[in-house]
Amino acid sequence: MVGYILRRLLLLVPVLLGLSMLVFAIARLLPGDPVALAAGPNATAADVASVAREFGLDQPLVVQYWNYLTGLFRGDWGVSIFTRRPVAEDLAAYLPATLELVLAAMLLAIGLGIPLGLMAAVFRNKWPDFLARTVSLGAISMPRFFLGLVFQLLFAMWLGWLPLSGRFPLTEDPPPQITGMLTVDALLSGQFHAFGVALSYLALPAIAMCLSPLATIMRMMRASTIEVLQQDYVLTERALGLSQKLILFKYVLKNAISATLTVIGLYFGWLLGGTVLVETVFDWPGIGLYATQAVLTQDFMPIIGVTLCIGAIFVTVNLVVDMLYGLLNPKVRYQ
Amino acid sequence: MSSTTAHPRLESWRRGLYRFRQSWVSVLGLLIVSVLLVLAIGGQHLAPYPQHIAGLVDTSARLQAPSTTYWFGTNELGQDVFSLVVAGTRISLLAGMAVVIVGAAFGVFVGAIAGFLGGWVDEVLMRLADLKLTVPGLILAMAVAAALGPGIVNMVFAIALSWWPGYARLVRGEVMAKREETFVLASRAMGAGTNRLLWKHILPNIMSPIIVKMSLDMGFAILTVASLGFIGIGVKPPTPEWGSLLSVARVNMPDYWWTAIFPGLAIFMAVFGFNLLGDGLRDLLDPKARR
Amino acid sequence: MLTTTRRGVMAGGAALLAGMATGRDAQAQSRRILVMASNQDIPNFDPHVANGYSASMALRNTYDSLVGVAGNPPKPVPQLAQSWTISDDGREYTFKLDPAAKFHDGSPVNAEAVKYSFNRLLRLNRGNAWMIAGVVDQNSVEAIDATTVRIKLVTPFVPFLSVLPWVWIVNPAQVEANKGSDDGQAWLRSNLAGSGAFRLRRAEAGNLYEFERVADAWRKGGGNLTGAIWKITRETATQRLMVQRGEAQIAVDLTSEDMDSLKGRAGVNLVIEPEYRTFSMKMNTRHGPLQDANLRRAIACAFNYQGMLDVAGYAELMKGPFPESIDGFDKDLPVYRTDLARAKEYLAKSSTPNGGIKITVAHVSGLEQQRRWALVLLDSLRALNIELDIKPMIWPDMVSAARSPETTPDIFMVYQTANYGDPDNLAFAGYHSSRNGGWQNPTYANPEVDSLLTQARAESDAEKRRALYVRFQRVLMEDSPDIFGVLEKRKLAMRSNVQGFAFTPVASNAIDLFPLSLG
Amino acid sequence: MNPPSLDTDTLLEIDDLNLAMRSFEGEIQVLNGVSFAVKRGEIWGIVGETGSGKSLTGLTVSRLVPTPPGRYLRGSVRFQGQDVLKQSEETMRTLRGRRIGMIFQDPTTNLNPTFRIGTQLVDVALHAAKLDPTILGLPAGASRRARRAAAEKVAIARLEEVGIPNAAERVNDYPHQFSGGMKQRVLIAMALIGRPDLLIADEPTTALDVSVQAQILRLIHGLVEEHNLGVLFITHNLGVVAQLCTHVAVMYAGAIVESGPVRDVLKHPRHDYTRGLLASVPKPSMKRGELRGLAGGALAAEALAPPPPRAAPGGTIMAIEHVVKEFPGARRGFFDRAPPVQALRDVSLNIRQGESFGLVGESGSGKTTLTRCILQLEKITSGRIVYDGIDLAAQTPQQMQALRARIQIVFQDPYASLNPRMTIRDIIAEPMEIHHGKLGLTPRQRTDRAAELLEQVGLTTQHLNRFPHEFSGGQRQRIGIARALAPKPDFLILDEPTSALDVSVQAQVLNLLHDLQSRLGLTYFFISHDLGVIRYICDRVALIHHGKLVEQGETEDVFTNPRSDYAKMLLAAMPDPDPDLSPLRRREAVLL
């Protein structure tokens, strides 16, 4: 297992390197002239050239990439041409919000999706199954941005149960920054009131965001549970009198979850890259909005930074998933 | 128990059809998709105000609530929302289909090569696909679409760019599994070449999962198209694309809700319909979902 | 660093923690914090680099300038300068600084600081430098004594006082201490070295910026605000809902529809005022079919102005390049209005008498009004049998497209905001050929216009100057390089407990917090 | 059938059991008046071919047939007097595992792969102990911990009983760390942990090699003697029944056609089907062509006109000389690999023109690797394979292509070896297309030849445009043979061509092969693990074990006078359908 982890960690290096190269190439080969924009509305051609020089954009692409790469090792993610802020600083500001949102959504999705999928499989082709499947398909089909809008209208405007947008009451001070995730920080510093408040802000966007992974996890869980239920060993377990509960929650669950695990890993990355839709609606100051802003101004350093950052998280999460998979599957573990 | 390999094809088709009919949700999906197809094909003729689709503005009748004259009300330019939504069907369906087809075609090509040839070709192609999977798709699509400028073709290209690795992975796995099947071995033993093995023996036998994935992806592709439209990087005006319609209309919420709700519902219905259908098709075609 | 600022807050927060449970309500009572909802982030606080209205808001409240701007029509008002004199030839300005003025660190705002700031702005040549570029140079600003500053203009520039509110004075000692290799840009980006009534308390990039009143600020009086929050709210609908719910006191980016839906709601006041923000569609006079002036005139006559006004909501049609309230506006200017017969006449005289061509229009993607107007234009042009290809472009692409006539679209939509209430501001940037290749005037060039504008710039005699501008407007109308669009009114929504707000048609969305109170 | 008696020893009485199954084709009756009774100490063999309903009968006893789609129409299944069809699920659970133990066919799929076998055994033990605390030997109300510890002890004891060495350590292993035979032992231990009265074994040895099968049979036999169990042993293998069972019930199409003590039924079958079934099993005494198949549940008519006598074998056509095949070892670390696996170790054999050469070996012995090497689908590591004087490995791809037409293969699995998307015509014509150069046939001629071939293998031209799924296993195997014959080969590799078929169908296919060989003068390289089949069809035979040839020679010679230990062991392990030849019974006789 340790060897396996080490090998996977070593493999991260070429993957991230390749990723950085790919992203750098894509971002830099796109047409558009962010330099002119950065130089300001009244800049002359000479001004533009000086800005390009300032950012090293007059150098060959390979040199630029090399500079970027070596910078990365020093923790320098480059500087936004547009705002002239270091990308690393921006990421540190935006990423925790997105992570909080994605983690909350994933927790919800996993926490609900797995039992629901199990239930649907057990009641296969009966009404709980049909209901769960139809609703889950509905949830997948619902555009998240549309759902967000409807949620805002319903829960914030008409019912007034939850805040409309943002992360925390504006005029109150947030809990001290530790991780940047407000709910976590509130708990860590023991501010339970602040935790509740932060949670109330988190609720709507997290729910809007969790539906799609929830439905996918549920369906995946249902499918894999059905498959496991049809395995010979389940018949043997039943034939030897083990209770339905024990079979389902011990023997079937472990096997079924390992198949669902991969989906969870993939979805995590997918959500990270797709938060922009929900962030827009709920004014959640996350990486998605940052990326969109960067895309719209073709500010490539932030684009590269965000993509690389999400890619790295994605790869890491999948590494963790693979390890969990190994933990659940002795065959993998002992290879 | 021992006869799971014995599913003859016709029998499984019949069995699948039986299942498909059994599940009313699949039939519902088929129904929705049929309606969408009708709208996509005959939309221009079915829309009550075809001139609005072409760009006629009637600022004196702007933002009217739904009525018998304007079933879904009018938008900020006085255009009939119903006509726009109907016209949007074709765009969304076409774009969704194009994304899926382009993505699938490229993915199948890459996956087939990787799976069949194996070795370093496989390694290189699959690492590339993995790499592609780690790049957040929506952000990439946004970046590419924004850079190429608006337009359906550009958008389809931008989205399809992040679509192929899924197919490549699927096809590779299937090809590798099928490559070891006895009937392929039989053909190899007879001396069949790569082309014959791939085109006659392997690909026809892996079409089912590809078709299933394509039908399941349709909904997601439509959703992605709409998402790009929503962010504001999509088709060119005055093309009535649902995501852009919704994007434009969100500022009108909640007072002029009809401008947003109806395009939103249209997206939902289309995606829902294709998802239901895809689910049904999977029961029909996917050997893994059988039994 | 902002993060250090936040650390400080953290420490304070920890200290407050004990009394938190009971003190929360009381604390909210004693704090009068105004929340502004805006969709623009404040990425940079360097007063000589940052631009955009959000930065203007931040800087005008945390820094001071020699003179401020107030009233409607806007007038220069004393700020750091208690008084000023102008030489007869209009080239020498002498400012008397307020001796009480001091920076946040307690050091006085003296003439040296003014000189340092002007020179830094010119040196960096970013941000608002363009406003004084060519008017003032490194040697222009002179510190006569600690509280007297003399500025000698390089060329006569009548609207000089109008640009001064946007030249902020930094604390040289602090900048020099953090100079680095980039003239303190890295440090000033996220640190303040000003003398304004407010200072930054909390900064969360992309989310919010909280300002707090400087306890012992030198400027006395003003409103009762203890602090203010600039909340970045990207959706205008959300901004509106926030005001409606009382979560924000001021929303600055509302649409006409938003205003309509807020109208008559209890507790909300609406400010709908004309402003110096013009919208026009610039035609490519150097490349493509619109080089033909007759075709340009035909289009100007075919355009559905009423439709444009309808979708614009709170706006008025422009009657030439200038807003009516700007000095120099020609009341008798014959403007183009929708007249199909006349449009067809012009078309007949053009090289494509029957239309049948396709032209392109570019607008900034995401700017909803521009999109609507593009659609109105598309509909209008169909009457001339001209097809319109609408290209939503992201702003960097627009800017780079404007570089050369070949890449400039046939029609180019553009908003122009006057930073000061002087005709020069709009005319020079928008029509002088030296600005060709820039987005404010990608292609239009006419030697006569150039000479008129250059003369007017230097003409200190108001009457003569007015005549020059009238002449300019006539020539321009004849050339018809633009479809003159609308002047959108400034639309602000405000909770009724906001007191002390007086509208000024210059940068009115960069709220000046000093006079405001919360009731 | 005798009326069920209420004997105290009677464990199970099934009376007029009728079961229907619903499917997309409608409801089909799958059990049709099944009746029999099992007493303690009896081993009942339920024998029948695919789809005869034997497994469903076994599942019904524990009421594990899902309803729906199943539906009991009539009848009763009394276990120790209680009708299990009328019991609640709760009551059924008190029977399962405790009173009725079950084991199933495939040991690799019947153990949960993600749990240690100890965990699985302990859970079964704890369940059984809830019903009978004496199983753990603990007083009632013992702590959870004590119960667990005791359950583990019991599990280890049971594993030892079924012959798992080192049981105390191996409880911590996962299923994949056991061999197939060991897994089946674990499963038997699991089934026995609750000390059941009745053991239902559903084809427990079908997936195992003969030698392992013999061990498992011996184990079950011993357990019956020791614990006085009743056993329901479901199998398709008459040999196994003859070896192990005291009683037998022969099932056909959901009904028992004949039942009774095993000697009575097997020695003096009364029903046609039983007779047919027995006649389908190749026996040492049979001459080639004497085997008779079954048709429609009755004995088939006499074989077709006897084929012309075979020509005497000629000279060597295929020489395999010192062939070694190594596979790279599994990756162990970043750079590290396990040592290579030797699949074939210095294999040499000669096959003569026109003969049938048999190759016998158990799973993993290297038989399949050898065929792949001959077909040049795998490169050999060293040695030579010489066909008709030509070294195959030295051929250019073009030359090899021409040779491929002459060497053809028929695969084991008739379901997997035909492309489901191609018509029979296309399947048979494919080798003709590939070897167009050699055969030079127009498409029309190819179709004609395909039709001709189909008739040759006993199908008709009407079948040309159908798809494989429309055919039964036996028919498909015929199609596979027709395809192999299409390019007019002279060397045919038959890779277990009948092992996936029911015995009656196997007989037909064997007859066909014999017939074809005589007519076409083919050389057969016949691979099988079934010694009976090999003995029936092969002139000469080679035994392969762990990639090494352990014995080769004339078939009769090897079978009657085996020299190697391995051959002796295999022959001893092969279950003979004659109950009098059962080694288990011999022992039984001695014990008595």
Side-chain angles (χ1 to χ4, degrees), chain A residues 7 232 236 241 250-251 255, chain D residues 93 109-110 112 114 123 334:
Chain A
R7 207 173 77 203
D232 290 344
T236 301
K250 182 170 179 182
Y251 287 104
N255 284 288
Chain D
R93 285 220 303 115
T109 60
N110 275 294
N112 197 320
T114 56
D123 274 337
F334 215 40

Side-chain angles (χ1 to χ4, degrees), chain C residues 14-63:
Chain C
L16 275 171
L17 212 78
M20 201 77 167
T22 50
R24 183 172 295 277
D25 290 336
Q27 176 203 5
Q29 282 295 314
S30 67
R31 285 168 61 184
R32 294 177 184 276
I33 297 177
L34 177 100
V35 177
M36 296 164 281
S38 150
N39 62 21
Q40 219 181 69
D41 197 357
I42 312 173
N44 196 327
F45 279 87
D46 188 327
H48 302 146
V49 172
N51 53 30
Y53 75 82
S54 54
S56 296
M57 188 285 310
L59 297 172
R60 83 188 293 185
N61 289 303
T62 51
Y63 285 90

Side-chain angles (χ1 to χ4, degrees), chain D residues 65-284:
Chain D
V65 178
T67 48
R71 189 164 70 89
Y72 291 103
L73 303 173
R74 211 168 50 240
S76 63
V77 177
R78 268 193 293 279
F79 180 77
Q80 295 187 324
Q82 301 173 287
D83 188 347
V84 299
L85 298 186
K86 296 203 173 78
Q87 304 303 317
S88 69
E89 183 65 22
E90 258 331 284
T91 320
M92 282 315 298
R93 285 220 303 115
T94 64
L95 295 181
R96 294 181 198 144
R98 164 70 190 93
R99 312 277 292 277
I100 305 173
M102 284 190 93
I103 46 177
F104 296 97
Q105 175 171 356
D106 190 350
T108 50
T109 60
N110 275 294
L111 281 167
N112 197 320
T114 56
F115 288 87
R116 297 173 201 280
I117 62 156
T119 314
Q120 305 186 42
L121 284 159
V122 163
D123 274 337
V124 175
L126 287 174
H127 162 69
K130 258 184 249 160
L131 307 163
D132 180 2
T134 62
I135 288 173
L136 298 182
L138 285 176
S143 74
R144 220 182 132 87
R145 239 179 75 215
R147 287 214 313 273
R148 269 202 171 272
E152 199 165 319
K153 232 178 255 158
V154 171
I156 293 167
R158 278 286 186 267
L159 285 177
E160 273 166 354
E161 190 179 347
V162 298
I164 306 267
N166 255 341
E169 282 165 32
R170 300 224 64 184
V171 284
N172 291 321
D173 283 351
Y174 286 93
H176 71 271
Q177 291 165 295
F178 289 83
S179 70
M182 284 296 166
K183 276 185 220 167
Q184 196 60 292
R185 284 171 196 264
V186 172
L187 279 161
I188 292 173
M190 233 159 107
L192 292 178
I193 214 162
R195 294 197 209 127
D197 304 306
L198 179 68
L199 180 68
I200 300 170
D202 188 351
E203 305 249 17
T205 59
T206 308
L208 305 175
D209 281 327
V210 230
S211 51
V212 183
Q213 165 171 295
Q215 296 165 10
I216 297 291
L217 293 183
R218 214 174 300 135
L219 173 67
I220 292 176
H221 188 262
L223 290 168
V224 172
E225 283 186 342
E226 197 176 327
H227 299 294
N228 198 27
L229 301 170
V231 175
L232 210 56
F233 196 99
I234 296 156
T235 182
H236 68 279
N237 190 330
L238 282 170
V240 169
V241 171
Q243 296 297 297
L244 180 72
C245 298
T246 60
H247 293 74
V248 64
V250 182
M251 286 194 78
Y252 177 73
I256 291 182
V257 295
E258 188 166 359
S259 66
V262 73
R263 252 191 208 81
D264 294 358
V265 175
L266 296 189
K267 288 277 189 183
H268 312 289
R270 278 167 299 163
H271 196 276
D272 269 359
Y273 179 75
T274 321
R275 252 178 269 156
L277 212 54
L278 281 165
S280 307
V281 183
K283 283 177 235 4

